[in-house]
Amino acid sequence: MITQDSIRLSDDNQSYIINGDRYVRMTQVLDVLPKPYLDVWRAKIGNEEADRIVRETSDAGSLVHLVTELY
């Protein structure tokens, strides 16, 4: 059974330790994939607007993580 006490972030913040087993963070898995569509998207809307959207969605994602942790 997984409980809040059995989950922690690794010392290097690169993975989760769950019941003693290491799991790579999804962000790290996705970081290795090429994303040429993001360059197209940025070119279409401009860097300033893209940066604004990235900040906004990052804040929303952080909130989802926080709510999940609190649950």
Side-chain angles (χ1 to χ4, degrees):
M1 183 164 101
I2 297 175
T3 65
Q4 184 175 0
D5 294 331
S6 66
I7 302 172
R8 70 177 179 83
L9 197 56
S10 64
D11 292 337
D12 62 3
N13 292 332
Q14 301 303 310
S15 58
Y16 292 102
I17 308 298
I18 303 173
N19 291 332
D21 296 319
R22 181 180 289 259
Y23 295 89
V24 177
R25 295 172 65 192
M26 195 64 196
T27 304
Q28 281 204 265
V29 172
L30 295 175
D31 280 349
V32 301
L33 299 173
K35 300 171 193 74
Y37 52 87
L38 290 179
D39 294 332
V40 173
W41 173 70
R42 278 187 170 277
K44 182 177 178 181
I45 66 169
N47 282 328
E48 188 174 320
E49 177 65 2
D51 289 344
R52 184 195 66 77
I53 292 169
V54 168
R55 278 191 308 277
E56 185 177 296
T57 56
S58 177
D59 290 346
S62 294
L63 183 58
V64 169
H65 277 267
L66 176 62
V67 169
T68 303
E69 288 176 32
L70 293 173
Y71 173 75

